[in-house]
Amino acid sequence: MISYTARRLLMLIPVLIGMSLITFSIVHLIPGNPAQTILGEQATPQAIADLEENLGLNEPYLVQYGLYMRDLAQGDLGTSLRTNRPINEELWPFLAATIELTIFAMIFALIVGVNAGILSAWKQGSLFDYMSMFIALIGVSMPIFWLGLMEQWIFAQELGWLPAFGRENPRDPIDTTTHFYLLDALIAGRPDQWWTAFKHLILPGIALGTIPMAIIARMTRSSMLEVLRSDYIRTVVAKGSGTIAVIYRHGFKNAIIPVLTVAGLQTGTLLGGAILTETIFSWPGIGRYVYEAIGTRDYPVIQSGILVIATLFVLINLTVDLLYSYIDPRIKY
Amino acid sequence: MLRLAALIGVVSVGLFVTGCNNNDNEVTMESNDSNDHEVNDHNDLDNEGNELSADQTLIFARGGDSVSLDYASVTDGESSRVTTQIYETLIEFDNNSFDIGPGLAEDWDMEEGGLEYTFYLREGVTFHDGTPFNADAVKLNFERWADPNHEYHFAEEGYTYSVYGTQFGGFSGDEDHVIEEINVINDYEIQFVLKEPLGSFMQNMGMSYFAITSPAAFEEYGPLINENPVGTGPFKFVSWSRDDRIVLEKNEAYWQDGYPKLDQVIFQVIPDNAARLTALRSGEIDIMDGLNPDDVPVLEGEAGIQVFEGATNNVGYLGFHVDKEPFNDPAVRQALNYAIDKETLIMTLYAGLAEPAKNAVPPGYLGYNDHIQPYAYDPERALELLAEAGYEDGFEFDLWTMPVSRPYMHDPEKAAEVMQANFSEIGLTANIVTMEWATYLERTEQGEHDVFMLGWSGVNGDPDYFLSNLLHGDAIPGGNRSFYQNDDVDRLLNEAKRQVEEETRADLYEEAQSIIHEDAPMIPLVHSTPVLAGSDSVKDYVPHPSTNEVLTHVYLAD
């Protein structure tokens, strides 16, 4: 187990180097001149030339990449062209915002998806089964931005139950220490702020979590169906165990592995897919951070932002792989 | 596993129930907390008998974040919208026009036919850090912009003060740099000596780019001045979370007694237009910009909402590359001018919130030539002109279309389609071409286009800013993407620029516009009216043509 973990961690290095080269190249293929974009359409040619000089944009491609890698090896993600600040310093609040939203969306997707899947499998062929699978089908095919706007319209504008944007009430901001607002509100000893932060999570969390929720529901259902038909379940039922024990203790434990795979993959996807949700709900997350950077051609931020997202993606997959062998010791590598 | 599942079940049911039952509106709930704030010495009623809100926090929602709070180093409107609250300029524009009045300078003199300006500064003004505002501070700020080697110019950190260069003819040492010297006469008197007169000098002094920062702040923050602004304005900077919000608080020591009225101003980024409108309707924000013109008629009848119309201060146009065939023939350019149905364009794309343009300068500007007979919509006349020019069979060209929405062009693609239809009526085939925004600006600047769509917004209320940037030969390459060069026009614009007598300037600009009208290097399409929406509790808010207004007088009433 330990050697397997170590091997997997070592394999990360070439993967990350490959990713850095890809992000670096993609970013440099974007047409247009960053200096012009930073200075605006009314800038003088001289000012543009000066800025290019200052930013090192005149250096050849490989030299720029070499410099980038050297800094990266020292843990330096570069300096944002837009803000003149080290990306290391800037990144965390955005990253934390996205992680918090992703975790919430995933918890939502797991609670609703797993339970709907299990119930559908248990009551296979019932009205509930058909309904939930129908909803799951819609959930998979629903555009996030449309769902988000509908949520805002119904729950924020018409009903006034939930806030339409942001992570907190701007009139009463949360003192940030970790930048996970639910945690920060607790640290600050403000249950009212915790509740506010929680309410801000609901609409974007549902918008973001709907697709994985639907996928997990379908995966749980089919996985459970297979397990429920197996001999040992028949034995457990014959022994007279209660329904809940049969489903959750004996059935679901064995059905969980494919669900876990899907959940892991979906969590990775959410990190990248969060950008639409973050835009609609003004969620200041990593997706928005990179998006704004693209608009201003903030090369270092685009590169580092994508690299960080990709690294997280790889790490989540690694965690899922490691979890397999923990949950099911038969899985050996 | 069983216990975990049971827990998940209980929690999810619990969440669902509390979620559904909790109807209390967050905004009202939290606003009670503002009792923690100091109670202000507001009167309870305003002039109209409305009760003042207990919470004087205004949330202004916009589509994008500020780029920098070092105002002179950036040109975007979102940055100056915030810095206008924090910083002040020597003179200030009227609250709804570009008429100048006292600001940090109470009075001023012009001598030597516009070669010397003396400003008499307001006494007893302090910066937010408690240091006094005086003539030394003014001198330091101007020298900082003008001199690339100045210790506070921060050139190595990538700061460039391009607007200073544009407005004052370059930087220290440049031949055309117009400011020769700045003399501190005493603490409250400062003199600017110019090499030659500059017609827009006073207007420049009111531009938000040339506001005064505390010298102590440069000392303290160095290049991080862009996120630690310290000025003399009505609001003090509190915090900035990128892509989220900027928080400002009342400057209790502000020199105007009884102002500002608001305790706090929050500039909140909400990128999506529809989401911003939802936030306004649900009462989470107080003012929003970037309102879609189509929403205006709906909002005007809506309870609790008011619509603010700003003054026209821009031009959206279609430019020709005048060096390229067939657009090198003025008759062809005039023909295309006659072909465009501006009224329909305005009704369909601007919901009526624009006026047809006939000049490159918006109406109301000094020297706006109102005698010009616009090229009316007249396809017959267009056909005649085309025939005279030898193009009776029409021709085909690329119509370059902006990829982004701008105040002067809300929906460029649709606008291009409308014009495409107009052109097809006179037998011309316009192929709509679009590309990414920065590329678009770059390639039009290099003159790769036949016909392109663009616009320009004013920042200081001076016609030179429009005409010299868009149509002067010196602005090639640059703002003059029509590559139009007429020596008479260049001479008139140069003369007007170096002239301080307003009437003379006006005459020169009028004459230049007549020539430009005949030459028709562009089709001036519209001057659009910017619209904002707000809650009806917002009082005394007046949008400024520069699109950034200081919120000193604004307050909230129930």
Side-chain angles (χ1 to χ4, degrees), chain A residues 215-238:
Chain A
I215 293 174
I216 287 170
R218 290 158 62 105
M219 182 51 83
T220 310
R221 179 178 179 272
S222 64
S223 178
M224 271 302 274
L225 277 177
E226 207 170 303
V227 170
L228 290 179
R229 286 196 201 102
S230 61
D231 292 345
Y232 80 91
I233 292 287
R234 212 170 301 143
T235 315
V236 174
V237 175

PDB file of all heavy atoms in Angstrom, chain A residues 215-238:
ATOM      1  N   ILE A 215     -25.985  11.560 -12.580  1.00  0.00           N
ATOM      2  CA  ILE A 215     -25.111  10.452 -13.005  1.00  0.00           C
ATOM      3  C   ILE A 215     -24.949   9.447 -11.870  1.00  0.00           C
ATOM      4  O   ILE A 215     -25.035   8.230 -12.071  1.00  0.00           O
ATOM      5  CB  ILE A 215     -23.736  11.010 -13.443  1.00  0.00           C
ATOM      6  CG1 ILE A 215     -23.917  11.848 -14.713  1.00  0.00           C
ATOM      7  CG2 ILE A 215     -22.748   9.878 -13.682  1.00  0.00           C
ATOM      8  CD1 ILE A 215     -22.665  12.558 -15.163  1.00  0.00           C
ATOM      9  N   ILE A 216     -24.749   9.972 -10.652  1.00  0.00           N
ATOM     10  CA  ILE A 216     -24.569   9.082  -9.498  1.00  0.00           C
ATOM     11  C   ILE A 216     -25.837   8.271  -9.249  1.00  0.00           C
ATOM     12  O   ILE A 216     -25.782   7.070  -8.956  1.00  0.00           O
ATOM     13  CB  ILE A 216     -24.183   9.916  -8.249  1.00  0.00           C
ATOM     14  CG1 ILE A 216     -22.740  10.396  -8.397  1.00  0.00           C
ATOM     15  CG2 ILE A 216     -24.328   9.092  -6.971  1.00  0.00           C
ATOM     16  CD1 ILE A 216     -22.311  11.415  -7.370  1.00  0.00           C
ATOM     17  N   ALA A 217     -27.004   8.902  -9.400  1.00  0.00           N
ATOM     18  CA  ALA A 217     -28.261   8.184  -9.181  1.00  0.00           C
ATOM     19  C   ALA A 217     -28.363   6.998 -10.135  1.00  0.00           C
ATOM     20  O   ALA A 217     -28.713   5.874  -9.730  1.00  0.00           O
ATOM     21  CB  ALA A 217     -29.445   9.139  -9.375  1.00  0.00           C
ATOM     22  N   ARG A 218     -28.044   7.253 -11.393  1.00  0.00           N
ATOM     23  CA  ARG A 218     -28.152   6.163 -12.368  1.00  0.00           C
ATOM     24  C   ARG A 218     -27.122   5.069 -12.104  1.00  0.00           C
ATOM     25  O   ARG A 218     -27.421   3.872 -12.198  1.00  0.00           O
ATOM     26  CB  ARG A 218     -27.995   6.726 -13.777  1.00  0.00           C
ATOM     27  CG  ARG A 218     -29.193   7.562 -14.175  1.00  0.00           C
ATOM     28  CD  ARG A 218     -28.841   8.523 -15.286  1.00  0.00           C
ATOM     29  NE  ARG A 218     -28.418   7.804 -16.479  1.00  0.00           N
ATOM     30  CZ  ARG A 218     -29.179   7.673 -17.568  1.00  0.00           C
ATOM     31  NH1 ARG A 218     -30.368   8.210 -17.591  1.00  0.00           N
ATOM     32  NH2 ARG A 218     -28.746   7.019 -18.602  1.00  0.00           N
ATOM     33  N   MET A 219     -25.922   5.508 -11.746  1.00  0.00           N
ATOM     34  CA  MET A 219     -24.870   4.525 -11.483  1.00  0.00           C
ATOM     35  C   MET A 219     -25.202   3.696 -10.243  1.00  0.00           C
ATOM     36  O   MET A 219     -25.060   2.466 -10.253  1.00  0.00           O
ATOM     37  CB  MET A 219     -23.545   5.273 -11.301  1.00  0.00           C
ATOM     38  CG  MET A 219     -22.346   4.388 -11.057  1.00  0.00           C
ATOM     39  SD  MET A 219     -22.194   3.086 -12.261  1.00  0.00           S
ATOM     40  CE  MET A 219     -21.387   3.968 -13.577  1.00  0.00           C
ATOM     41  N   THR A 220     -25.680   4.371  -9.180  1.00  0.00           N
ATOM     42  CA  THR A 220     -26.040   3.643  -7.958  1.00  0.00           C
ATOM     43  C   THR A 220     -27.139   2.636  -8.245  1.00  0.00           C
ATOM     44  O   THR A 220     -27.098   1.492  -7.798  1.00  0.00           O
ATOM     45  CB  THR A 220     -26.532   4.633  -6.883  1.00  0.00           C
ATOM     46  OG1 THR A 220     -25.594   5.684  -6.775  1.00  0.00           O
ATOM     47  CG2 THR A 220     -26.674   3.941  -5.544  1.00  0.00           C
ATOM     48  N   ARG A 221     -28.114   3.079  -9.010  1.00  0.00           N
ATOM     49  CA  ARG A 221     -29.244   2.199  -9.297  1.00  0.00           C
ATOM     50  C   ARG A 221     -28.766   0.924  -9.982  1.00  0.00           C
ATOM     51  O   ARG A 221     -29.074  -0.196  -9.547  1.00  0.00           O
ATOM     52  CB  ARG A 221     -30.258   2.927 -10.175  1.00  0.00           C
ATOM     53  CG  ARG A 221     -31.466   2.084 -10.549  1.00  0.00           C
ATOM     54  CD  ARG A 221     -32.451   2.903 -11.383  1.00  0.00           C
ATOM     55  NE  ARG A 221     -33.598   2.086 -11.769  1.00  0.00           N
ATOM     56  CZ  ARG A 221     -33.633   1.344 -12.849  1.00  0.00           C
ATOM     57  NH1 ARG A 221     -32.582   1.277 -13.641  1.00  0.00           N
ATOM     58  NH2 ARG A 221     -34.727   0.648 -13.136  1.00  0.00           N
ATOM     59  N   SER A 222     -28.000   1.069 -11.035  1.00  0.00           N
ATOM     60  CA  SER A 222     -27.618  -0.140 -11.780  1.00  0.00           C
ATOM     61  C   SER A 222     -26.679  -1.007 -10.949  1.00  0.00           C
ATOM     62  O   SER A 222     -26.788  -2.235 -10.948  1.00  0.00           O
ATOM     63  CB  SER A 222     -26.988   0.235 -13.116  1.00  0.00           C
ATOM     64  OG  SER A 222     -25.806   0.938 -12.893  1.00  0.00           O
ATOM     65  N   SER A 223     -25.799  -0.357 -10.205  1.00  0.00           N
ATOM     66  CA  SER A 223     -24.868  -1.114  -9.379  1.00  0.00           C
ATOM     67  C   SER A 223     -25.625  -1.870  -8.279  1.00  0.00           C
ATOM     68  O   SER A 223     -25.345  -3.032  -7.994  1.00  0.00           O
ATOM     69  CB  SER A 223     -23.856  -0.139  -8.792  1.00  0.00           C
ATOM     70  OG  SER A 223     -22.963  -0.787  -7.960  1.00  0.00           O
ATOM     71  N   MET A 224     -26.594  -1.186  -7.683  1.00  0.00           N
ATOM     72  CA  MET A 224     -27.392  -1.807  -6.618  1.00  0.00           C
ATOM     73  C   MET A 224     -28.231  -2.962  -7.159  1.00  0.00           C
ATOM     74  O   MET A 224     -28.382  -3.994  -6.513  1.00  0.00           O
ATOM     75  CB  MET A 224     -28.326  -0.767  -5.979  1.00  0.00           C
ATOM     76  CG  MET A 224     -27.729  -0.011  -4.826  1.00  0.00           C
ATOM     77  SD  MET A 224     -27.165  -1.052  -3.489  1.00  0.00           S
ATOM     78  CE  MET A 224     -28.657  -1.250  -2.533  1.00  0.00           C
ATOM     79  N   LEU A 225     -28.780  -2.753  -8.338  1.00  0.00           N
ATOM     80  CA  LEU A 225     -29.630  -3.808  -8.926  1.00  0.00           C
ATOM     81  C   LEU A 225     -28.840  -5.100  -9.057  1.00  0.00           C
ATOM     82  O   LEU A 225     -29.316  -6.184  -8.716  1.00  0.00           O
ATOM     83  CB  LEU A 225     -30.129  -3.364 -10.306  1.00  0.00           C
ATOM     84  CG  LEU A 225     -31.355  -2.469 -10.294  1.00  0.00           C
ATOM     85  CD1 LEU A 225     -31.715  -2.039 -11.718  1.00  0.00           C
ATOM     86  CD2 LEU A 225     -32.534  -3.184  -9.651  1.00  0.00           C
ATOM     87  N   GLU A 226     -27.609  -4.924  -9.513  1.00  0.00           N
ATOM     88  CA  GLU A 226     -26.752  -6.095  -9.691  1.00  0.00           C
ATOM     89  C   GLU A 226     -26.513  -6.791  -8.352  1.00  0.00           C
ATOM     90  O   GLU A 226     -26.643  -8.011  -8.237  1.00  0.00           O
ATOM     91  CB  GLU A 226     -25.429  -5.627 -10.286  1.00  0.00           C
ATOM     92  CG  GLU A 226     -24.717  -6.675 -11.094  1.00  0.00           C
ATOM     93  CD  GLU A 226     -23.572  -6.030 -11.835  1.00  0.00           C
ATOM     94  OE1 GLU A 226     -23.845  -5.070 -12.608  1.00  0.00           O
ATOM     95  OE2 GLU A 226     -22.437  -6.434 -11.604  1.00  0.00           O
ATOM     96  N   VAL A 227     -26.193  -5.986  -7.351  1.00  0.00           N
ATOM     97  CA  VAL A 227     -25.890  -6.551  -6.032  1.00  0.00           C
ATOM     98  C   VAL A 227     -27.131  -7.208  -5.432  1.00  0.00           C
ATOM     99  O   VAL A 227     -27.065  -8.318  -4.890  1.00  0.00           O
ATOM    100  CB  VAL A 227     -25.349  -5.455  -5.098  1.00  0.00           C
ATOM    101  CG1 VAL A 227     -25.257  -5.968  -3.674  1.00  0.00           C
ATOM    102  CG2 VAL A 227     -23.994  -4.982  -5.584  1.00  0.00           C
ATOM    103  N   LEU A 228     -28.267  -6.517  -5.552  1.00  0.00           N
ATOM    104  CA  LEU A 228     -29.487  -7.034  -4.910  1.00  0.00           C
ATOM    105  C   LEU A 228     -29.920  -8.380  -5.496  1.00  0.00           C
ATOM    106  O   LEU A 228     -30.631  -9.137  -4.851  1.00  0.00           O
ATOM    107  CB  LEU A 228     -30.631  -6.017  -5.035  1.00  0.00           C
ATOM    108  CG  LEU A 228     -30.472  -4.744  -4.199  1.00  0.00           C
ATOM    109  CD1 LEU A 228     -31.641  -3.801  -4.425  1.00  0.00           C
ATOM    110  CD2 LEU A 228     -30.340  -5.080  -2.715  1.00  0.00           C
ATOM    111  N   ARG A 229     -29.498  -8.635  -6.741  1.00  0.00           N
ATOM    112  CA  ARG A 229     -29.887  -9.909  -7.354  1.00  0.00           C
ATOM    113  C   ARG A 229     -28.958 -11.046  -6.910  1.00  0.00           C
ATOM    114  O   ARG A 229     -29.202 -12.196  -7.229  1.00  0.00           O
ATOM    115  CB  ARG A 229     -29.816  -9.788  -8.877  1.00  0.00           C
ATOM    116  CG  ARG A 229     -30.957  -8.982  -9.447  1.00  0.00           C
ATOM    117  CD  ARG A 229     -31.062  -9.213 -10.951  1.00  0.00           C
ATOM    118  NE  ARG A 229     -31.781  -8.111 -11.560  1.00  0.00           N
ATOM    119  CZ  ARG A 229     -31.210  -7.113 -12.233  1.00  0.00           C
ATOM    120  NH1 ARG A 229     -29.898  -7.114 -12.406  1.00  0.00           N
ATOM    121  NH2 ARG A 229     -31.929  -6.146 -12.722  1.00  0.00           N
ATOM    122  N   SER A 230     -27.880 -10.706  -6.205  1.00  0.00           N
ATOM    123  CA  SER A 230     -26.872 -11.732  -5.927  1.00  0.00           C
ATOM    124  C   SER A 230     -27.324 -12.672  -4.794  1.00  0.00           C
ATOM    125  O   SER A 230     -28.215 -12.337  -4.000  1.00  0.00           O
ATOM    126  CB  SER A 230     -25.547 -11.081  -5.593  1.00  0.00           C
ATOM    127  OG  SER A 230     -25.726 -10.294  -4.447  1.00  0.00           O
ATOM    128  N   ASP A 231     -26.666 -13.797  -4.726  1.00  0.00           N
ATOM    129  CA  ASP A 231     -27.065 -14.863  -3.797  1.00  0.00           C
ATOM    130  C   ASP A 231     -26.943 -14.440  -2.343  1.00  0.00           C
ATOM    131  O   ASP A 231     -27.807 -14.739  -1.527  1.00  0.00           O
ATOM    132  CB  ASP A 231     -26.197 -16.110  -4.032  1.00  0.00           C
ATOM    133  CG  ASP A 231     -26.497 -16.732  -5.376  1.00  0.00           C
ATOM    134  OD1 ASP A 231     -27.546 -16.380  -5.956  1.00  0.00           O
ATOM    135  OD2 ASP A 231     -25.669 -17.515  -5.861  1.00  0.00           O
ATOM    136  N   TYR A 232     -25.831 -13.736  -2.043  1.00  0.00           N
ATOM    137  CA  TYR A 232     -25.637 -13.452  -0.617  1.00  0.00           C
ATOM    138  C   TYR A 232     -26.723 -12.541  -0.076  1.00  0.00           C
ATOM    139  O   TYR A 232     -27.086 -12.604   1.095  1.00  0.00           O
ATOM    140  CB  TYR A 232     -24.229 -12.894  -0.358  1.00  0.00           C
ATOM    141  CG  TYR A 232     -24.030 -11.436  -0.665  1.00  0.00           C
ATOM    142  CD1 TYR A 232     -24.235 -10.482   0.318  1.00  0.00           C
ATOM    143  CD2 TYR A 232     -23.644 -11.013  -1.931  1.00  0.00           C
ATOM    144  CE1 TYR A 232     -24.065  -9.141   0.043  1.00  0.00           C
ATOM    145  CE2 TYR A 232     -23.460  -9.696  -2.209  1.00  0.00           C
ATOM    146  CZ  TYR A 232     -23.661  -8.756  -1.213  1.00  0.00           C
ATOM    147  OH  TYR A 232     -23.493  -7.434  -1.479  1.00  0.00           O
ATOM    148  N   ILE A 233     -27.267 -11.677  -0.914  1.00  0.00           N
ATOM    149  CA  ILE A 233     -28.352 -10.814  -0.454  1.00  0.00           C
ATOM    150  C   ILE A 233     -29.573 -11.671  -0.143  1.00  0.00           C
ATOM    151  O   ILE A 233     -30.263 -11.474   0.882  1.00  0.00           O
ATOM    152  CB  ILE A 233     -28.706  -9.750  -1.525  1.00  0.00           C
ATOM    153  CG1 ILE A 233     -27.563  -8.751  -1.672  1.00  0.00           C
ATOM    154  CG2 ILE A 233     -30.017  -9.043  -1.192  1.00  0.00           C
ATOM    155  CD1 ILE A 233     -27.416  -7.787  -0.525  1.00  0.00           C
ATOM    156  N   ARG A 234     -29.793 -12.640  -1.022  1.00  0.00           N
ATOM    157  CA  ARG A 234     -30.918 -13.535  -0.769  1.00  0.00           C
ATOM    158  C   ARG A 234     -30.734 -14.215   0.594  1.00  0.00           C
ATOM    159  O   ARG A 234     -31.677 -14.341   1.370  1.00  0.00           O
ATOM    160  CB  ARG A 234     -31.015 -14.586  -1.883  1.00  0.00           C
ATOM    161  CG  ARG A 234     -32.450 -15.014  -2.158  1.00  0.00           C
ATOM    162  CD  ARG A 234     -32.536 -15.861  -3.411  1.00  0.00           C
ATOM    163  NE  ARG A 234     -32.045 -15.165  -4.586  1.00  0.00           N
ATOM    164  CZ  ARG A 234     -31.357 -15.758  -5.568  1.00  0.00           C
ATOM    165  NH1 ARG A 234     -31.054 -17.041  -5.495  1.00  0.00           N
ATOM    166  NH2 ARG A 234     -30.956 -15.071  -6.618  1.00  0.00           N
ATOM    167  N   THR A 235     -29.479 -14.600   0.889  1.00  0.00           N
ATOM    168  CA  THR A 235     -29.186 -15.241   2.170  1.00  0.00           C
ATOM    169  C   THR A 235     -29.477 -14.286   3.319  1.00  0.00           C
ATOM    170  O   THR A 235     -30.124 -14.653   4.303  1.00  0.00           O
ATOM    171  CB  THR A 235     -27.700 -15.655   2.230  1.00  0.00           C
ATOM    172  OG1 THR A 235     -27.353 -16.270   1.004  1.00  0.00           O
ATOM    173  CG2 THR A 235     -27.441 -16.573   3.390  1.00  0.00           C
ATOM    174  N   VAL A 236     -28.999 -13.060   3.171  1.00  0.00           N
ATOM    175  CA  VAL A 236     -29.209 -12.075   4.242  1.00  0.00           C
ATOM    176  C   VAL A 236     -30.695 -11.857   4.475  1.00  0.00           C
ATOM    177  O   VAL A 236     -31.157 -11.830   5.627  1.00  0.00           O
ATOM    178  CB  VAL A 236     -28.532 -10.730   3.867  1.00  0.00           C
ATOM    179  CG1 VAL A 236     -28.880  -9.675   4.887  1.00  0.00           C
ATOM    180  CG2 VAL A 236     -27.031 -10.910   3.770  1.00  0.00           C
ATOM    181  N   VAL A 237     -31.449 -11.753   3.387  1.00  0.00           N
ATOM    182  CA  VAL A 237     -32.894 -11.546   3.524  1.00  0.00           C
ATOM    183  C   VAL A 237     -33.508 -12.759   4.215  1.00  0.00           C
ATOM    184  O   VAL A 237     -34.331 -12.634   5.133  1.00  0.00           O
ATOM    185  CB  VAL A 237     -33.560 -11.311   2.140  1.00  0.00           C
ATOM    186  CG1 VAL A 237     -35.080 -11.227   2.277  1.00  0.00           C
ATOM    187  CG2 VAL A 237     -33.007 -10.050   1.514  1.00  0.00           C
ATOM    188  N   ALA A 238     -33.062 -13.939   3.803  1.00  0.00           N
ATOM    189  CA  ALA A 238     -33.616 -15.169   4.377  1.00  0.00           C
ATOM    190  C   ALA A 238     -33.323 -15.245   5.870  1.00  0.00           C
ATOM    191  O   ALA A 238     -34.141 -15.745   6.645  1.00  0.00           O
ATOM    192  CB  ALA A 238     -33.025 -16.381   3.655  1.00  0.00           C
TER     193      ALA A 238
END
